[in-house]
Amino acid sequence: MKKVLLAVMALTAFAGNAQDGFKGKWFFMGQAGYGTTNDGKTTSYSILPAVGTFVAPTTAVGLAIGYVGGNDETSGTKVESSMVVVQPLARKYWGVTDNFLLFGQASVPLSFLDVAGAKATNYGVEVGAGIDYFLSSNWSIEAQFGVAGWQSSKPKNGDATSDFNIGINSGLLDGVKFGIKYIF
């Protein structure tokens, strides 16, 4: 009898948690990177923290704001580049196990680029997917894989151009990205 009562209590607790999901919780996540190529003549670095909230048990909205920079000295002169990124996003999660979730993400990145004084504004739409593995109730690691994206670029003194990409080279800032997330 004790086992049956314990099983009913556990199922009731699980059903309550599954129904509420993450609704009302906030998250902070981020991605960062640094790299060099061409024997150190080209460097790049990025930081893209994001904050958001769960508006439903498995649906979140958030905002990422970050910076991408770099230097290129392969031509003999130093060319510096910088980009400020503002990216609203929405995510939908699906549970595979208690610790392992899949998610789909839609985002609208807006960036302001400066390459050696030449400025441009970029905006677009990206749709991607990812996996989220919870190490504890508050910490998770994630990997994001891009699926499709459209981007328009408007140089300060030039004509706008548009690009459409399908493949795994999309995501928050191109390519497969790994990040950490804290839920509170």
Side-chain angles (χ1 to χ4, degrees), residues 46-119:
S46 63
I47 184 163
L48 187 65
V51 66
T53 186
F54 284 86
V55 295
T58 59
T59 305
V61 294
L63 179 67
I65 299 175
Y67 181 80
V68 179
N71 299 309
D72 186 351
E73 296 183 44
T74 55
S75 64
T77 60
K78 186 175 184 179
V79 177
E80 294 183 7
S81 63
S82 65
M83 180 171 59
V84 175
V85 179
V86 178
Q87 182 170 328
L89 60 97
R91 281 187 174 181
K92 173 69 176 167
Y93 288 86
W94 295 274
V96 177
T97 68
D98 288 342
N99 294 18
F100 184 68
L101 300 132
L102 302 175
F103 65 84
Q105 176 175 300
S107 60
V108 184
L110 173 65
S111 61
F112 306 95
L113 179 65
D114 182 346
V115 179
K119 298 180 189 250

Side-chain angles (χ1 to χ4, degrees), residues 16-183:
N17 285 342
Q19 187 177 23
D20 292 340
F22 295 108
K23 186 175 180 179
K25 294 191 177 201
W26 286 81
F27 65 85
F28 179 79
M29 63 183 185
Q31 298 173 346
Y34 176 81
T36 63
T37 57
N38 298 324
D39 294 327
K41 292 182 179 180
T42 305
T43 60
S44 62
Y45 44 91
S46 63
I47 184 163
L48 187 65
V51 66
T53 186
F54 284 86
V55 295
T58 59
T59 305
V61 294
L63 179 67
I65 299 175
Y67 181 80
V68 179
N71 299 309
D72 186 351
E73 296 183 44
T74 55
S75 64
T77 60
K78 186 175 184 179
V79 177
E80 294 183 7
S81 63
S82 65
M83 180 171 59
V84 175
V85 179
V86 178
Q87 182 170 328
L89 60 97
R91 281 187 174 181
K92 173 69 176 167
Y93 288 86
W94 295 274
V96 177
T97 68
D98 288 342
N99 294 18
F100 184 68
L101 300 132
L102 302 175
F103 65 84
Q105 176 175 300
S107 60
V108 184
L110 173 65
S111 61
F112 306 95
L113 179 65
D114 182 346
V115 179
K119 298 180 189 250
T121 301
N122 304 320
Y123 59 92
V125 176
E126 294 180 345
V127 179
I131 58 175
D132 208 345
Y133 182 77
F134 278 82
L135 303 170
S136 71
S137 61
N138 296 94
W139 289 97
S140 77
I141 55 174
E142 65 179 41
Q144 185 177 5
F145 313 89
V147 176
W150 172 83
Q151 178 178 319
S152 178
S153 180
K154 172 70 173 104
K156 184 175 180 180
N157 298 319
D159 296 329
T161 60
S162 295
D163 296 313
F164 179 73
N165 296 303
I166 294 179
I168 61 170
N169 287 328
S170 289
L172 279 176
L173 289 174
D174 298 327
V176 177
K177 298 293 179 182
F178 295 94
I180 59 172
K181 180 168 54 213
Y182 179 71
I183 294 181

